[in-house]
Structure formats: C-alpha cells, structure tokens
Amino acid sequence: MASRAVALLVAVALAAFLLHPAAAAAGQKKPATAARREDIPYIRCQVCERIAREISAQVAKKQQALPPSKKVPEIEIIEIAENVCNLKKQEADWMLRIDIVEKGDKLQLVEQDEEGHCNAECKTIERACQEVIGYADTDIAEFVYKNNPSADQLMKFLCKDLSKACAKDPPPVPKDRVPGEPFARKPSKDAEMEKILKSMEGMPGAPSMKMYSRDDLMKNNFGTEDDDDEDDEDEDDNFPKNLVMIQNGLSENFHSKLHI
C-alpha cells in the first residue's frame, strides 16, 4: 500500500513537472551545462568558505531541533559533509542561488534571492566544491562533532589547514575570458517540484528511485542500469521499474504534444 501511494505521488509530481508551461520552451537552444574547469582557480577559495558556512549552518539547524543536552549525531554531520557538494542532494541547494560575476580581474560568487537554473556556472561551483572536499568529508565531520566550531573556525580548518584552498590569493582572471551565462531565475513551481523529488529519494516504498533533470525526462535519457531484480515477488521490488515506465510514458506523451 505504501509503495502504491509513493508511486502515485511520484507520477503526479512528474506529470506536473513535465507539463509545466516553462517546458514549452523545450525546443529552444539550451545554455551550456558543462563545468568550466578553467574558472575553478579563481573561485576555489570562495567556494571553500561557502562550504564551511553551509556545513556550519546546516548542523546548527539540526542542533536547534534537539534538546540542549543532546548533540547532532556524527553520522548526520558526515551525511551533510558528503552531500554538500552533490547537486542531487538537498544539502547542495545553496549552489542554485549563486551567480559567478566578473569584477575587474576577479570572479566573485554573488548570492541571489532565488534559485536559478543549473547551467555551466552552477556545475563549475559543484566541481570546485568537490575538489575542495575531496575525500575529507569524514575529517570535516569529525572536526565539527568534536569541536563544535564557529563558521569562521571551520573555515580556517577546511580552507587553510585541510584543503589549502585559501592558502594563497587567486590568480587574475584573463582579459579574454569568455563571460559566463547570466543568472536565470528558476520558476518557483519548478524549484518546489525539484525539492519534492529530492525529498522522496530513499523514502520507504521507493528504495531505488533516481533523480532526473527536466532535459533527461524530455529526452528519455534514463541511462543504462543493470536489471538485477528477482522475479516478481512483491510490488515493492517492481517499484523502480514501474517508475521509469511512468516517466517514459509521460515523456513520450509530452514529446508527441510538442512534436519534438
């Protein structure tokens, strides 16, 4: 029963996501979405500082929900540190509100009031974030759990002691650098739908649910995954397969309506 309810909720969410009026622009040329690795040296330190602030804020939020006598479990801090650089996770939603702005010979991360579409700049920030964190997520979590540092203390530990991301000033930006795309605000309905889908990931009844972007859904780009399900023993085992079938059906229907 639980899996049926989840399947229905997912189907409704996907239908609303695909049939949203913003999808009418599907035939238009899409901005580049690959990370610009050449920009990373100019923003690495700022990204590192932002990581420290995000981890500190997210741990503090969890702490506020607990009695004063209890600490946030270390495993939950590890989860934050693991996910803060993964755009498929809610912990990384902060990247969607950042615009990379060229000012003189520097690049600056400028926070926006609303989330934007994740194009090349967003992917560049994610890549820089992943390079800063590397395999140190457990070290960061241990430091936070044992020391309860302020955001500034965590920033020093992560950006100067651990990763060296802020050990020296960034180089000047080349004068012939191709400007990045303008910040494109994401419609509030799209942002809310993505949050719903992210919150469903891993919930009971949907053990293998995958996240797909609008482009993936519209192009039927679901990847190739090994089908290791056993024979149909119960409906929960079939849930991921059924979900993809629902997605494909919606996507094909959407394609036919737009004549793509």
Coordinates of all heavy atoms in Angstrom, one line a residue, residues 97-188:
R97 N 21.7 29.2 -5.8 CA 21.4 30.6 -5.6 C 22.7 31.5 -5.8 O 22.7 32.6 -5.4 CB 20.9 30.8 -4.1 CG 19.6 30.1 -3.8 CD 19.1 30.5 -2.5 NE 20.0 30.1 -1.4 CZ 20.0 28.9 -0.8 NH1 19.1 28.0 -1.2 NH2 20.9 28.6 0.1
I98 N 23.7 30.9 -6.4 CA 25.0 31.6 -6.6 C 25.2 32.0 -8.1 O 25.0 31.1 -9.0 CB 26.2 30.7 -6.1 CG1 26.0 30.4 -4.7 CG2 27.5 31.5 -6.3 CD1 26.0 31.5 -3.7
D99 N 25.5 33.2 -8.3 CA 25.9 33.7 -9.6 C 27.4 34.0 -9.6 O 27.9 34.6 -8.7 CB 25.1 34.9 -10.0 CG 25.3 35.4 -11.4 OD1 25.7 34.6 -12.2 OD2 25.0 36.6 -11.7
I100 N 28.1 33.6 -10.6 CA 29.5 34.0 -10.8 C 29.6 35.2 -11.6 O 29.2 35.3 -12.7 CB 30.3 32.8 -11.4 CG1 30.2 31.5 -10.6 CG2 31.8 33.2 -11.6 CD1 31.0 30.4 -11.3
V101 N 30.1 36.3 -11.0 CA 30.2 37.6 -11.6 C 31.6 38.0 -11.7 O 32.4 37.9 -10.8 CB 29.4 38.6 -10.7 CG1 29.5 40.0 -11.3 CG2 28.0 38.2 -10.5
E102 N 32.0 38.5 -12.9 CA 33.3 39.0 -13.2 C 33.4 40.5 -12.8 O 32.6 41.3 -13.3 CB 33.6 38.9 -14.7 CG 35.1 39.2 -15.0 CD 35.5 38.7 -16.4 OE1 34.8 37.8 -17.0 OE2 36.4 39.3 -17.0
K103 N 34.3 40.8 -11.9 CA 34.5 42.2 -11.5 C 36.0 42.5 -11.6 O 36.8 42.0 -10.8 CB 34.0 42.4 -10.0 CG 32.5 42.2 -9.9 CD 32.0 42.7 -8.5 CE 30.5 42.6 -8.5 NZ 30.0 43.0 -7.1
G104 N 36.4 43.3 -12.5 CA 37.8 43.6 -12.8 C 38.5 42.3 -13.2 O 38.1 41.6 -14.1
D105 N 39.6 42.0 -12.5 CA 40.3 40.8 -12.8 C 40.0 39.6 -11.8 O 40.8 38.7 -11.6 CB 41.8 41.1 -12.8 CG 42.4 41.5 -11.4 OD1 41.5 41.7 -10.5 OD2 43.6 41.6 -11.3
K106 N 38.8 39.7 -11.2 CA 38.4 38.7 -10.3 C 37.0 38.1 -10.6 O 36.2 38.8 -11.3 CB 38.4 39.2 -8.8 CG 39.8 39.7 -8.4 CD 39.7 40.2 -6.9 CE 41.0 40.8 -6.5 NZ 42.1 39.8 -6.5
L107 N 36.8 36.9 -10.2 CA 35.4 36.3 -10.2 C 34.9 36.3 -8.8 O 35.6 35.9 -7.9 CB 35.5 34.9 -10.8 CG 35.9 34.7 -12.2 CD1 35.8 33.3 -12.6 CD2 35.0 35.6 -13.2
Q108 N 33.6 36.7 -8.6 CA 33.0 36.8 -7.3 C 31.8 35.9 -7.3 O 31.0 35.9 -8.3 CB 32.7 38.2 -6.9 CG 33.9 39.1 -6.7 CD 33.6 40.4 -6.1 OE1 32.4 40.7 -5.9 NE2 34.6 41.3 -5.9
L109 N 31.5 35.2 -6.2 CA 30.3 34.5 -6.0 C 29.3 35.4 -5.4 O 29.5 35.9 -4.3 CB 30.5 33.3 -5.1 CG 31.6 32.2 -5.6 CD1 31.6 31.0 -4.7 CD2 31.4 31.8 -7.0
V110 N 28.2 35.7 -6.1 CA 27.2 36.6 -5.6 C 25.9 35.8 -5.3 O 25.3 35.2 -6.2 CB 26.9 37.7 -6.6 CG1 25.9 38.7 -6.1 CG2 28.2 38.5 -6.9
E111 N 25.4 35.9 -4.1 CA 24.2 35.1 -3.7 C 23.0 35.9 -4.2 O 22.9 37.1 -4.1 CB 24.1 34.9 -2.2 CG 22.9 34.0 -1.8 CD 23.0 33.5 -0.4 OE1 24.0 33.9 0.3 OE2 22.1 32.8 0.0
Q112 N 22.0 35.1 -4.8 CA 20.8 35.6 -5.3 C 19.7 35.3 -4.3 O 19.8 34.4 -3.4 CB 20.5 35.1 -6.6 CG 21.6 35.2 -7.7 CD 21.9 36.7 -8.0 OE1 21.0 37.5 -8.3 NE2 23.1 37.1 -7.9
D113 N 18.6 36.0 -4.4 CA 17.4 35.8 -3.5 C 16.7 34.5 -3.8 O 16.0 33.9 -3.0 CB 16.4 37.0 -3.6 CG 17.0 38.3 -3.0 OD1 17.9 38.2 -2.2 OD2 16.6 39.3 -3.5
E114 N 16.8 34.1 -5.1 CA 16.0 32.9 -5.5 C 17.0 31.9 -6.2 O 18.1 32.3 -6.6 CB 14.9 33.3 -6.4 CG 13.8 34.2 -5.8 CD 12.8 34.6 -6.8 OE1 13.1 35.4 -7.7 OE2 11.6 34.1 -6.7
E115 N 16.5 30.7 -6.4 CA 17.3 29.7 -7.1 C 17.2 29.9 -8.6 O 16.3 30.5 -9.1 CB 16.7 28.3 -6.8 CG 16.9 27.8 -5.4 CD 16.5 26.4 -5.1 OE1 16.0 25.8 -6.1 OE2 16.6 25.9 -4.0
G116 N 18.3 29.5 -9.2 CA 18.4 29.7 -10.7 C 18.5 28.3 -11.3 O 18.8 27.3 -10.7
H117 N 18.4 28.3 -12.6 CA 18.7 27.0 -13.4 C 20.1 26.7 -13.3 O 21.0 27.5 -13.3 CB 18.3 27.2 -14.8 CG 16.8 27.3 -15.1 ND1 15.9 26.2 -14.9 CD2 16.0 28.4 -15.4 CE1 14.7 26.6 -15.1 NE2 14.7 27.9 -15.5
C118 N 20.4 25.4 -13.2 CA 21.8 24.9 -13.0 C 22.4 24.7 -14.4 O 22.2 23.7 -15.1 CB 21.8 23.6 -12.2 SG 23.5 23.1 -11.8
N119 N 23.1 25.7 -14.8 CA 23.9 25.6 -16.1 C 25.4 25.5 -15.8 O 25.8 25.0 -14.8 CB 23.5 26.8 -17.0 CG 22.0 26.8 -17.3 OD1 21.4 25.8 -17.7 ND2 21.3 28.0 -17.3
A120 N 26.2 26.1 -16.7 CA 27.6 25.9 -16.6 C 28.2 26.5 -15.3 O 29.0 25.8 -14.7 CB 28.3 26.6 -17.8
E121 N 27.7 27.6 -14.9 CA 28.3 28.2 -13.6 C 28.0 27.4 -12.4 O 28.8 27.2 -11.6 CB 27.7 29.7 -13.5 CG 28.3 30.6 -14.5 CD 27.9 32.1 -14.2 OE1 27.2 32.3 -13.2 OE2 28.5 33.0 -14.9
C122 N 26.7 26.9 -12.4 CA 26.3 26.0 -11.3 C 27.2 24.7 -11.2 O 27.7 24.3 -10.2 CB 24.8 25.7 -11.4 SG 24.2 24.5 -10.3
K123 N 27.4 24.2 -12.4 CA 28.2 22.9 -12.5 C 29.7 23.2 -12.1 O 30.4 22.4 -11.6 CB 28.1 22.4 -13.9 CG 26.8 21.8 -14.3 CD 26.4 20.6 -13.4 CE 25.1 20.0 -13.9 NZ 24.7 18.8 -13.1
T124 N 30.1 24.4 -12.4 CA 31.5 24.8 -12.1 C 31.7 24.9 -10.6 O 32.7 24.5 -10.0 CB 31.9 26.2 -12.8 OG1 31.7 26.1 -14.2 CG2 33.3 26.6 -12.5
I125 N 30.7 25.5 -9.9 CA 30.7 25.6 -8.5 C 30.7 24.2 -7.9 O 31.4 23.9 -6.9 CB 29.5 26.4 -8.0 CG1 29.7 27.9 -8.4 CG2 29.5 26.4 -6.4 CD1 28.5 28.8 -8.2
E126 N 29.9 23.3 -8.4 CA 29.8 22.0 -7.9 C 31.2 21.3 -8.0 O 31.7 20.6 -7.1 CB 28.8 21.1 -8.6 CG 28.6 19.7 -8.1 CD 27.7 18.9 -8.9 OE1 27.7 19.0 -10.2 OE2 27.0 18.0 -8.4
R127 N 31.8 21.5 -9.2 CA 33.1 20.8 -9.4 C 34.2 21.4 -8.5 O 34.9 20.6 -7.9 CB 33.5 21.1 -10.9 CG 34.9 20.4 -11.3 CD 34.8 18.9 -11.4 NE 36.1 18.3 -11.6 CZ 36.2 17.1 -11.9 NH1 35.2 16.3 -11.9 NH2 37.4 16.6 -12.0
A128 N 34.2 22.7 -8.3 CA 35.1 23.3 -7.3 C 34.9 22.8 -5.9 O 35.8 22.5 -5.2 CB 35.0 24.8 -7.4
C129 N 33.6 22.7 -5.6 CA 33.2 22.2 -4.2 C 33.8 20.8 -4.0 O 34.4 20.4 -3.0 CB 31.7 22.2 -4.1 SG 31.1 21.8 -2.5
Q130 N 33.6 19.9 -5.0 CA 34.1 18.5 -4.9 C 35.6 18.4 -4.8 O 36.1 17.6 -4.1 CB 33.6 17.7 -6.1 CG 32.0 17.5 -6.2 CD 31.5 17.0 -7.5 OE1 32.2 16.9 -8.5 NE2 30.3 16.6 -7.5
E131 N 36.3 19.3 -5.5 CA 37.7 19.3 -5.5 C 38.2 19.8 -4.1 O 39.2 19.3 -3.6 CB 38.3 20.3 -6.6 CG 38.2 19.7 -8.0 CD 38.9 20.6 -9.0 OE1 39.6 21.5 -8.6 OE2 38.7 20.3 -10.2
V132 N 37.5 20.7 -3.5 CA 37.9 21.2 -2.2 C 37.7 20.1 -1.1 O 38.5 19.8 -0.3 CB 37.1 22.5 -1.8 CG1 37.2 22.8 -0.3 CG2 37.5 23.6 -2.6
I133 N 36.5 19.5 -1.2 CA 36.2 18.4 -0.2 C 37.0 17.2 -0.4 O 37.6 16.6 0.6 CB 34.7 18.1 -0.2 CG1 33.8 19.2 0.3 CG2 34.4 16.8 0.6 CD1 33.8 19.4 1.7
G134 N 37.2 16.8 -1.6 CA 37.9 15.6 -1.9 C 37.4 14.4 -1.1 O 36.2 14.1 -1.1
Y135 N 38.3 13.7 -0.4 CA 37.9 12.6 0.5 C 37.9 13.0 1.9 O 38.0 12.1 2.8 CB 38.8 11.4 0.2 CG 38.8 10.9 -1.2 CD1 39.8 11.2 -2.1 CD2 37.7 10.0 -1.6 CE1 39.7 10.7 -3.5 CE2 37.7 9.6 -2.9 CZ 38.6 9.9 -3.8 OH 38.6 9.4 -5.1
A136 N 37.8 14.3 2.2 CA 38.0 14.7 3.6 C 36.7 14.9 4.3 O 36.6 15.5 5.4 CB 38.7 16.1 3.6
D137 N 35.6 14.4 3.7 CA 34.3 14.7 4.4 C 34.2 14.1 5.8 O 33.7 14.7 6.7 CB 33.1 14.1 3.6 CG 33.4 12.7 3.0 OD1 34.3 12.0 3.5 OD2 32.6 12.2 2.1
T138 N 34.8 12.9 6.0 CA 34.8 12.4 7.4 C 35.7 13.2 8.3 O 35.4 13.3 9.5 CB 35.2 10.9 7.4 OG1 36.5 10.8 6.7 CG2 34.2 10.0 6.7
D139 N 36.8 13.7 7.8 CA 37.7 14.5 8.7 C 36.9 15.8 9.1 O 37.0 16.3 10.2 CB 38.9 14.9 7.9 CG 39.8 13.7 7.6 OD1 39.8 12.8 8.4 OD2 40.5 13.7 6.5
I140 N 36.2 16.4 8.1 CA 35.4 17.6 8.4 C 34.4 17.3 9.5 O 34.2 18.0 10.5 CB 34.8 18.1 7.1 CG1 35.9 18.6 6.1 CG2 33.9 19.3 7.5 CD1 35.3 18.8 4.7
A141 N 33.6 16.2 9.3 CA 32.6 15.8 10.2 C 33.1 15.6 11.6 O 32.5 16.0 12.6 CB 31.8 14.6 9.7
E142 N 34.3 14.9 11.7 CA 34.9 14.6 13.0 C 35.3 15.9 13.7 O 35.1 16.1 14.9 CB 36.1 13.7 12.8 CG 36.8 13.3 14.1 CD 38.0 12.5 13.9 OE1 38.4 12.3 12.7 OE2 38.5 11.9 14.9
F143 N 35.8 16.9 12.9 CA 36.2 18.1 13.5 C 35.0 18.9 14.0 O 35.1 19.4 15.1 CB 37.0 19.0 12.4 CG 37.4 20.3 12.9 CD1 38.5 20.5 13.6 CD2 36.6 21.5 12.6 CE1 38.9 21.8 14.1 CE2 37.0 22.7 13.0 CZ 38.1 22.9 13.8
V144 N 33.9 18.9 13.3 CA 32.7 19.6 13.7 C 32.1 18.9 14.9 O 31.7 19.6 15.9 CB 31.7 19.6 12.5 CG1 30.4 20.2 13.0 CG2 32.2 20.5 11.4
Y145 N 32.1 17.6 14.9 CA 31.5 16.9 16.0 C 32.2 17.1 17.3 O 31.6 17.3 18.4 CB 31.4 15.4 15.7 CG 30.7 14.5 16.7 CD1 29.4 14.5 16.9 CD2 31.5 13.7 17.6 CE1 28.7 13.8 17.9 CE2 30.9 12.9 18.6 CZ 29.5 13.0 18.7 OH 28.9 12.2 19.7
K146 N 33.6 17.0 17.2 CA 34.4 17.1 18.4 C 34.6 18.5 19.0 O 34.7 18.7 20.2 CB 35.7 16.4 18.2 CG 35.7 14.9 18.0 CD 37.1 14.4 17.8 CE 37.1 12.8 17.8 NZ 38.5 12.3 17.6
N147 N 34.6 19.5 18.1 CA 35.0 20.8 18.5 C 33.8 21.8 18.5 O 34.0 22.9 19.0 CB 36.1 21.3 17.5 CG 37.3 20.5 17.6 OD1 38.1 20.6 18.6 ND2 37.5 19.6 16.6
N148 N 32.7 21.5 17.8 CA 31.6 22.4 17.7 C 32.1 23.8 17.3 O 31.9 24.8 18.0 CB 30.8 22.5 19.1 CG 29.5 23.3 19.0 OD1 28.9 23.3 17.9 ND2 29.1 23.9 20.0
P149 N 32.8 23.9 16.2 CA 33.4 25.2 15.8 C 32.4 26.2 15.3 O 31.3 25.9 14.8 CB 34.4 24.8 14.7 CG 33.7 23.6 14.1 CD 33.0 22.9 15.2
S150 N 32.8 27.5 15.4 CA 32.1 28.5 14.7 C 32.3 28.4 13.2 O 33.2 27.6 12.7 CB 32.5 29.9 15.2 OG 33.8 30.1 14.8
A151 N 31.5 29.1 12.4 CA 31.7 29.1 11.0 C 33.1 29.5 10.6 O 33.8 29.0 9.7 CB 30.7 30.0 10.3
D152 N 33.6 30.6 11.3 CA 35.0 31.1 11.0 C 36.0 30.0 11.3 O 37.0 29.9 10.6 CB 35.2 32.4 11.7 CG 34.5 33.5 11.2 OD1 34.0 33.4 10.0 OD2 34.3 34.6 11.9
Q153 N 35.8 29.3 12.4 CA 36.8 28.3 12.8 C 36.8 27.1 11.9 O 37.9 26.6 11.5 CB 36.5 27.8 14.3 CG 36.8 28.8 15.3 CD 36.2 28.4 16.7 OE1 35.3 27.7 16.8 NE2 36.9 28.8 17.8
L154 N 35.6 26.8 11.4 CA 35.5 25.7 10.4 C 36.1 26.1 9.1 O 36.8 25.4 8.4 CB 34.1 25.3 10.2 CG 33.8 24.2 9.2 CD1 34.6 22.9 9.5 CD2 32.3 23.8 9.1
M155 N 35.9 27.4 8.7 CA 36.5 27.9 7.5 C 38.0 27.9 7.5 O 38.7 27.5 6.6 CB 36.1 29.4 7.4 CG 36.2 30.0 6.0 SD 35.6 31.7 5.9 CE 33.9 31.5 6.4
K156 N 38.6 28.2 8.7 CA 40.1 28.2 8.8 C 40.6 26.7 8.7 O 41.5 26.4 8.0 CB 40.5 28.8 10.1 CG 42.0 28.7 10.4 CD 42.4 29.3 11.7 CE 43.9 29.2 11.9 NZ 44.5 27.9 11.9
F157 N 39.9 25.8 9.4 CA 40.3 24.4 9.3 C 40.2 23.8 7.9 O 41.1 23.2 7.5 CB 39.4 23.6 10.3 CG 39.6 22.1 10.2 CD1 40.7 21.5 10.7 CD2 38.7 21.3 9.5 CE1 40.9 20.1 10.7 CE2 38.9 19.9 9.4 CZ 40.0 19.3 10.0
L158 N 39.1 24.1 7.3 CA 38.9 23.5 5.9 C 39.7 24.2 4.8 O 40.3 23.5 4.0 CB 37.4 23.6 5.6 CG 37.0 23.1 4.2 CD1 37.4 21.7 3.9 CD2 35.5 23.3 4.0
C159 N 39.7 25.5 4.9 CA 40.2 26.2 3.7 C 41.7 26.6 3.8 O 42.4 26.8 2.8 CB 39.4 27.5 3.5 SG 37.7 27.2 3.3
K160 N 42.3 26.5 5.0 CA 43.7 26.8 5.2 C 44.5 25.6 5.7 O 45.6 25.4 5.3 CB 43.9 28.0 6.1 CG 43.3 29.3 5.5 CD 43.6 30.5 6.4 CE 43.1 31.8 5.7 NZ 43.4 33.0 6.5
D161 N 43.9 24.9 6.6 CA 44.7 23.8 7.2 C 44.5 22.5 6.4 O 45.5 21.8 6.2 CB 44.2 23.5 8.7 CG 44.5 24.8 9.5 OD1 45.3 25.6 9.2 OD2 43.8 24.9 10.6
L162 N 43.3 22.2 6.0 CA 43.0 20.9 5.4 C 43.2 20.9 3.9 O 43.9 20.1 3.3 CB 41.6 20.4 5.8 CG 41.2 19.0 5.4 CD1 42.1 18.0 6.2 CD2 39.7 18.8 5.8
S163 N 42.4 21.8 3.2 CA 42.5 21.8 1.7 C 43.4 22.7 1.1 O 43.8 22.6 -0.1 CB 41.1 22.1 1.2 OG 40.8 23.5 1.4
K164 N 43.9 23.7 1.9 CA 44.8 24.8 1.4 C 44.1 25.6 0.3 O 44.8 26.3 -0.5 CB 46.1 24.2 0.8 CG 46.8 23.2 1.7 CD 47.2 23.8 3.0 CE 48.0 22.8 3.9 NZ 48.4 23.4 5.2
A165 N 42.8 25.6 0.2 CA 42.1 26.3 -0.9 C 42.3 27.8 -0.8 O 42.2 28.5 -1.8 CB 40.6 26.0 -0.9
C166 N 42.5 28.3 0.4 CA 42.7 29.7 0.6 C 44.1 30.1 1.1 O 44.4 31.1 1.7 CB 41.7 30.3 1.6 SG 40.0 30.2 1.1
A167 N 45.1 29.1 0.8 CA 46.5 29.3 1.2 C 47.1 30.5 0.5 O 48.1 31.1 1.0 CB 47.3 28.1 1.0
K168 N 46.6 30.8 -0.7 CA 47.2 32.0 -1.5 C 46.1 32.6 -2.3 O 45.0 32.1 -2.5 CB 48.3 31.5 -2.4 CG 47.8 30.4 -3.4 CD 49.0 30.0 -4.3 CE 48.6 28.9 -5.3 NZ 49.7 28.5 -6.2
D169 N 46.3 33.9 -2.7 CA 45.3 34.6 -3.4 C 45.1 34.0 -4.8 O 46.0 33.4 -5.4 CB 45.8 36.1 -3.6 CG 45.8 36.8 -2.3 OD1 45.1 36.4 -1.4 OD2 46.6 37.8 -2.2
P170 N 43.9 34.1 -5.3 CA 43.6 33.5 -6.7 C 44.3 34.3 -7.7 O 44.6 35.5 -7.5 CB 42.1 33.7 -6.8 CG 41.7 34.8 -5.9 CD 42.7 34.7 -4.7
P171 N 44.7 33.7 -8.8 CA 45.3 34.5 -9.9 C 44.3 35.4 -10.6 O 43.1 35.3 -10.4 CB 45.7 33.3 -10.9 CG 44.7 32.3 -10.7 CD 44.4 32.3 -9.2
P172 N 44.8 36.4 -11.3 CA 43.9 37.3 -12.0 C 43.2 36.6 -13.2 O 43.8 35.8 -13.8 CB 44.9 38.4 -12.5 CG 46.2 37.8 -12.6 CD 46.3 36.8 -11.5
V173 N 42.0 37.0 -13.4 CA 41.2 36.5 -14.5 C 41.7 37.0 -15.8 O 42.0 38.2 -16.0 CB 39.7 36.8 -14.3 CG1 38.9 36.3 -15.5 CG2 39.2 36.2 -13.0
P174 N 42.0 36.1 -16.8 CA 42.5 36.6 -18.1 C 41.5 37.6 -18.7 O 40.3 37.5 -18.6 CB 42.6 35.3 -19.0 CG 42.7 34.2 -18.0 CD 41.9 34.7 -16.8
K175 N 42.0 38.6 -19.4 CA 41.2 39.6 -20.0 C 40.3 39.1 -21.2 O 39.3 39.6 -21.5 CB 42.0 40.8 -20.6 CG 42.7 41.6 -19.5 CD 43.5 42.7 -20.1 CE 44.2 43.5 -19.0 NZ 45.0 44.6 -19.5
D176 N 40.8 38.0 -21.8 CA 40.0 37.4 -22.9 C 39.1 36.3 -22.4 O 38.5 35.5 -23.3 CB 40.9 36.9 -24.0 CG 41.9 35.8 -23.5 OD1 41.9 35.5 -22.2 OD2 42.6 35.2 -24.3
R177 N 38.8 36.2 -21.1 CA 37.9 35.1 -20.6 C 36.5 35.3 -21.2 O 36.0 36.5 -21.2 CB 37.8 35.2 -19.1 CG 36.7 34.2 -18.5 CD 36.6 34.4 -17.0 NE 35.5 33.5 -16.5 CZ 34.2 33.9 -16.4 NH1 33.9 35.2 -16.8 NH2 33.3 33.1 -15.9
V178 N 35.9 34.3 -21.7 CA 34.5 34.3 -22.2 C 33.6 34.5 -21.0 O 33.6 33.6 -20.1 CB 34.2 33.1 -23.0 CG1 32.8 33.1 -23.5 CG2 35.2 32.9 -24.2
P179 N 32.7 35.5 -21.0 CA 31.8 35.7 -19.9 C 30.9 34.5 -19.7 O 30.5 33.8 -20.7 CB 31.0 37.0 -20.3 CG 31.9 37.7 -21.3 CD 32.6 36.6 -22.0
G180 N 30.5 34.3 -18.5 CA 29.5 33.2 -18.2 C 28.1 33.6 -18.6 O 27.8 34.8 -18.9
E181 N 27.2 32.7 -18.5 CA 25.8 33.0 -18.8 C 25.2 33.8 -17.7 O 25.6 33.7 -16.5 CB 25.0 31.7 -19.0 CG 24.7 30.9 -17.7 CD 25.7 30.0 -17.2 OE1 26.8 29.9 -17.9 OE2 25.5 29.3 -16.2
P182 N 24.2 34.6 -18.0 CA 23.5 35.4 -17.0 C 22.7 34.5 -16.1 O 22.3 33.4 -16.5 CB 22.6 36.3 -17.8 CG 22.4 35.6 -19.1 CD 23.6 34.9 -19.4
F183 N 22.5 34.9 -14.8 CA 21.8 34.1 -13.9 C 20.3 34.0 -14.3 O 19.7 35.0 -14.6 CB 21.8 34.8 -12.5 CG 21.2 34.0 -11.4 CD1 21.9 32.9 -10.8 CD2 19.9 34.2 -11.0 CE1 21.3 32.2 -9.7 CE2 19.3 33.4 -10.0 CZ 20.0 32.4 -9.4
A184 N 19.8 32.8 -14.5 CA 18.5 32.6 -15.0 C 17.6 32.1 -13.8 O 17.8 30.9 -13.4 CB 18.5 31.6 -16.1
R185 N 16.7 32.9 -13.4 CA 15.9 32.5 -12.2 C 15.0 31.3 -12.6 O 14.4 31.2 -13.7 CB 15.0 33.7 -11.8 CG 14.1 33.5 -10.6 CD 13.2 34.6 -10.3 NE 12.1 34.7 -11.3 CZ 11.0 33.9 -11.3 NH1 10.8 33.1 -10.3 NH2 10.1 34.1 -12.3
K186 N 14.9 30.4 -11.7 CA 14.1 29.2 -11.9 C 12.6 29.5 -11.4 O 12.5 30.0 -10.3 CB 14.7 28.1 -11.1 CG 13.9 26.7 -11.2 CD 14.5 25.7 -10.3 CE 15.9 25.4 -10.5 NZ 16.5 24.4 -9.6
P187 N 11.6 29.2 -12.2 CA 10.3 29.4 -11.8 C 10.0 28.7 -10.4 O 10.5 27.6 -10.2 CB 9.4 28.7 -12.9 CG 10.3 28.8 -14.1 CD 11.7 28.7 -13.6
S188 N 9.3 29.3 -9.5 CA 9.1 28.8 -8.2 C 8.5 27.4 -8.2 O 8.8 26.6 -7.4 CB 8.2 29.8 -7.4 OG 7.0 30.0 -8.0

